[in-house]
Amino acid sequence: MTKSDTRILAPQPGLPAPTASWHDRKGLVQIGLLALLLLAPLAAHFLGHVYYVNLASRVTLVAMAAVGLNLAIGYGGMVSFGHAAYFGLGGYVAGISAYHAFDLTPVIGWPVAIPGSDSMLAIWLVAIVVCGLLALAIGAVSLRTTGVYFIMITLAFAQMIYYFANSWPTYGGEDGLPIYLRNTLPIVDTNDALTFFLICFGGLTLSLALTSRIMKSRFGAALTMARLNDTRLATAGIAPYPIRLVAFVISAMITGLAGALYADLNGFVSPTMLSWHMSGELMVIVILGGVGRLYGPLAGAILYVMMETLLGGLTEYWKLFLGLVLLLVVLFAKYGVMGWLAGRERHE
Amino acid sequence: MSDAVLTLAHLNKRFGALQATSDVSLDLREGEIHALIGPNGAGKSTLIGQIAGGLKPDSGSIALAGREISTLSVAQRARLGLGRSFQVSSLAEPLSVKRNVMIAVQALQGHSFRFWKPVQRDESLLAPAMQALERMALAHRADTPVSELSHGERRQVEVACALALKPRVLLLDEPMAGLGPEGSARLTELLEALKHEVPILLIEHDMNAVFRLADRISVLVAGAVIAHGDGAEIRGNPQVREAYLGD
């Protein structure tokens, strides 16, 4: 490319940036975020700071949970204030399964005995299925409403599950349930902090790739239209409700899988994971990063956990500063950190 | 009427004390443009709502190609071949013109629960969408976001979306509304070219367009059809002149 070409292709004020260079910049930001997330714990590992490797795992899992939520909020226009239900349920699947594996008692004794298991693969599968079924039930009811009512009804369902977990003594009630031995995978040692981080990192990249692929497909086109103009979608002959419901279920499955890993990271699951604070935290991360931006949840999670760690070390009132940052983002960077770093999203 | 594609029979709709649709019966035949005219508040929009599926009639029947559709949803009616445009454009603003039309092609091809293949370079979606856009003389705007289109162009996209459904019936709700004389003449020309391909029920205020396009005209006043006929008959009908044409 000659110099004069570059000048012509440079974004001019008032005109949309040429697609090619815009893609380049977005791609660079995305690769940069992933590289940062991957390299920081590697460096920490070789410097012997296990704490920071685990912190990176936390960022990764919170980001993954938010990727799930972003599919509902950002791509589907369904503002769920109850995604902690799936995050926590995924966590409880890991916790309960490990508890029974440790105890050598069945999870369910009748009509068929289902034993506990400390196999992550089995736990992930169950977490995905169970969270999908829960989201199917909750979504089927909630998606009959819109707007504020949808927000409130998803919150109400999640709170029901929270209070249930809080008051059910079998699995620790409000004290929560410890996972004494981290669940296992064939071949690799999940107790190694870096190995566990890489598993989480794999989960995050997979959910990002899945979201990207889905949104480019016919289903994604229909979901986008359901968000932008559901009358247009119905007029074309596609009923919006089933499209939204399926997206809601996929969203919950991703968040649920992140929850199962999160319980294993902490070696502990408690109703806190199910509480509305958790739902709010995930929402804040999505908004910070940029609603409906593929890498928004990752950018948001990095920012959130960094603020929590750095400011939280200085003052217990760190959420005041989080509030200020959120305020600034909402007021001045409408498209979140990703919009600020990579420019506005353009549809093809 | 054996060749009627769309038949409304004794349709009634009441909002409280207001009889918005009063015993309306009319039909749309293969190969014709049937215009529905009437002053503001005559109940045209209510009638369209009932045909397209947003409103449920209190009584009466609506048949599309011999099939009763008055209890079906908007999406179901669309799948049976009812294409429509809106009085106020209803498109996805940030998306390109192409993508707006492609969703109709996708709907026509069957279910949307396909999660893997990207739509962006899917020729089976793109080609029919471009064809519909060409019919509306808008192929050159395919990649432009709808938000950057003129009012008239949006109308053309709406009709292209409806055409991409390969509809058995086109229901056009005031397509000329808000267009200048030039835009109106242009759209009239484009619609004239469609005339024998798909029957059109045209709800319109623009009398020039109506008299030029319509084979038959029905006049709606206060929810009831007060006159039926071709252009000359309607122009000569004293009742219509009094109620609508303003003499």
Side-chain angles (χ1 to χ4, degrees):
Chain A
M1 194 184 286
T2 65
K3 257 197 176 146
S4 63
D5 282 338
T6 324
R7 193 171 47 77
I8 292 166
L9 282 179
Q12 293 156 20
L15 286 176
T19 321
S21 73
W22 173 79
H23 270 300
D24 290 348
R25 186 169 156 202
K26 189 174 86 166
L28 279 179
V29 171
Q30 295 180 340
I31 291 168
L33 284 172
L34 278 182
L36 178 69
L37 183 64
L38 185 61
L39 294 179
L42 277 177
H45 173 77
F46 289 114
L47 295 171
H49 295 297
V50 179
Y51 169 78
Y52 288 106
V53 180
N54 285 331
L55 190 69
S57 298
R58 177 170 145 70
V59 172
T60 311
L61 293 177
V62 172
M64 184 174 160
V67 167
L69 181 61
N70 193 30
L71 182 61
I73 294 188
Y75 292 109
M78 300 172 279
V79 184
S80 164
F81 195 6
H83 259 49
Y86 316 110
F87 193 64
L89 186 63
Y92 269 98
V93 167
I96 291 171
S97 183
Y99 170 83
H100 287 287
F102 190 74
D103 238 23
L104 297 174
T105 50
V107 179
I108 301 171
W110 189 90
V112 280
I114 298 176
S117 167
D118 64 353
S119 154
M120 280 195 187
L121 291 175
I123 288 169
W124 295 344
L125 189 69
V126 173
I128 289 172
V129 170
V130 170
C131 288
L133 289 174
L134 180 67
L136 190 66
I138 291 180
V141 178
S142 310
L143 285 170
R144 302 203 175 271
T145 67
T146 52
V148 176
Y149 301 99
F150 181 79
I151 299 175
M152 285 299 126
I153 200 167
T154 49
L155 173 65
F157 274 118
Q159 286 301 95
M160 274 165 57
I161 293 163
Y162 167 76
Y163 284 114
F164 178 74
N166 229 351
S167 58
W168 196 26
T170 314
Y171 297 115
E174 61 179 324
D175 296 330
L177 183 65
I179 301 175
Y180 296 112
L181 298 172
R182 189 172 276 175
N183 293 304
T184 59
L185 275 181
I187 306 167
V188 298
D189 174 18
T190 54
N191 278 309
D192 180 67
L194 187 65
T195 307
F196 189 75
F197 165 77
L198 290 172
I199 294 167
C200 301
F201 188 76
L204 174 67
T205 25
L206 211 64
S207 32
L208 285 170
L210 187 74
T211 306
S212 163
R213 189 86 201 192
I214 286 178
M215 288 318 296
K216 285 179 180 149
S217 72
R218 289 187 180 212
F219 178 79
L223 184 63
T224 304
M225 195 55 87
R227 178 183 91 240
L228 293 172
N229 190 337
D230 59 356
T231 313
R232 167 60 47 202
L233 190 66
T235 307
I238 302 173
Y241 177 79
I243 299 282
R244 288 201 179 105
L245 184 57
V246 169
F248 191 75
V249 168
I250 298 172
S251 153
M253 286 171 160
I254 295 174
T255 303
L257 179 58
L261 282 161
Y262 194 77
D264 254 328
L265 171 68
N266 297 330
F268 181 64
V269 53
S270 76
T272 316
M273 265 179 88
L274 292 162
S275 79
W276 67 270
H277 297 97
M278 191 69 229
S279 299
E281 191 177 314
L282 293 177
M283 268 174 115
V284 165
I285 287 167
V286 168
I287 295 165
L288 274 180
V291 178
R293 305 296 298 255
L294 184 60
Y295 280 70
L298 177 52
I302 291 175
L303 186 63
Y304 186 93
V305 176
M306 267 172 55
M307 286 184 66
E308 184 185 48
T309 309
L310 298 177
L311 294 173
L314 297 176
T315 162
E316 59 180 299
Y317 303 113
W318 73 276
K319 285 205 170 163
L320 176 68
F321 296 98
L322 173 72
L324 282 176
V325 170
L326 191 61
L327 202 66
L328 289 175
V329 165
V330 172
L331 285 179
F332 300 110
K334 203 174 151 203
Y335 304 97
V337 176
M338 277 308 285
W340 177 58
L341 289 175
R344 244 188 98 169
E345 186 83 281
R346 274 173 67 85
H347 292 277
E348 300 88 3
Chain B
M1 219 70 67
S2 61
D3 61 348
V5 208
L6 181 71
T7 314
L8 316 186
H10 308 293
L11 223 50
N12 282 290
K13 178 78 187 175
R14 180 179 272 286
F15 296 111
L18 177 74
Q19 185 80 36
T21 303
S22 165
D23 197 34
V24 169
S25 297
L26 53 85
D27 62 14
L28 179 67
R29 297 173 201 158
E30 214 61 82
E32 75 164 349
I33 294 183
H34 188 157
L36 187 66
I37 64 174
N40 283 328
K44 300 191 294 289
S45 297
T46 308
L47 192 57
I48 291 197
Q50 293 170 79
I51 302 172
L55 288 171
K56 204 177 140 24
D58 297 337
S59 65
S61 76
I62 306 166
L64 178 65
R67 191 172 159 181
E68 178 62 37
I69 60 166
S70 57
T71 55
L72 301 182
S73 73
V74 174
Q76 284 169 321
R77 292 180 205 209
R79 283 201 291 275
L80 287 176
L82 187 75
R84 75 166 291 191
S85 78
F86 292 85
Q87 192 175 346
V88 178
S89 294
S90 180
L91 297 163
E93 297 276 323
L95 296 186
S96 65
V97 167
K98 186 170 79 184
R99 291 291 297 269
N100 270 278
V101 185
M102 276 162 78
I103 201 80
V105 181
Q106 177 176 325
L108 180 69
Q109 287 181 3
H111 72 84
S112 288
F113 292 100
R114 291 183 194 165
F115 299 89
W116 208 244
K117 197 176 164 197
V119 292
Q120 198 52 35
R121 279 172 293 280
D122 189 339
E123 269 306 310
S124 66
L125 289 177
L126 197 56
M130 289 308 291
Q131 222 175 352
L133 281 172
E134 266 155 36
R135 296 303 310 273
M136 283 289 110
L138 215 61
H140 62 291
R141 298 289 258 167
D143 293 311
T144 312
V146 168
S147 54
E148 291 170 22
L149 295 187
S150 74
H151 190 71
E153 285 172 324
R154 283 170 203 231
R155 296 288 169 180
Q156 286 162 258
V157 179
E158 285 240 339
V159 180
C161 286
L163 274 182
L165 289 173
K166 298 208 183 307
R168 311 175 76 148
V169 168
L170 261 187
L171 189 62
L172 303 183
D173 189 359
E174 300 199 19
M176 316 289 174
L179 296 187
E182 237 172 80
S184 183
R186 181 177 165 73
L187 192 55
T188 306
E189 224 167 83
L190 291 168
L191 292 182
E192 204 164 31
L194 292 180
K195 188 162 167 169
H196 296 291
E197 191 174 323
V198 52
I200 300 175
L201 184 62
L202 176 70
I203 288 81
E204 190 47 70
H205 261 309
D206 183 329
M207 282 304 132
N208 289 332
V210 166
F211 285 125
R212 176 154 166 208
L213 286 170
D215 302 290
R216 287 192 295 155
I217 299 173
S218 295
V219 185
L220 199 66
V221 174
V225 175
I226 61 159
H228 259 308
D230 61 25
E233 284 167 343
I234 294 298
R235 259 190 267 241
N237 185 321
Q239 246 183 310
V240 175
R241 297 186 78 89
E242 188 192 337
Y244 190 47
L245 294 177
D247 292 348

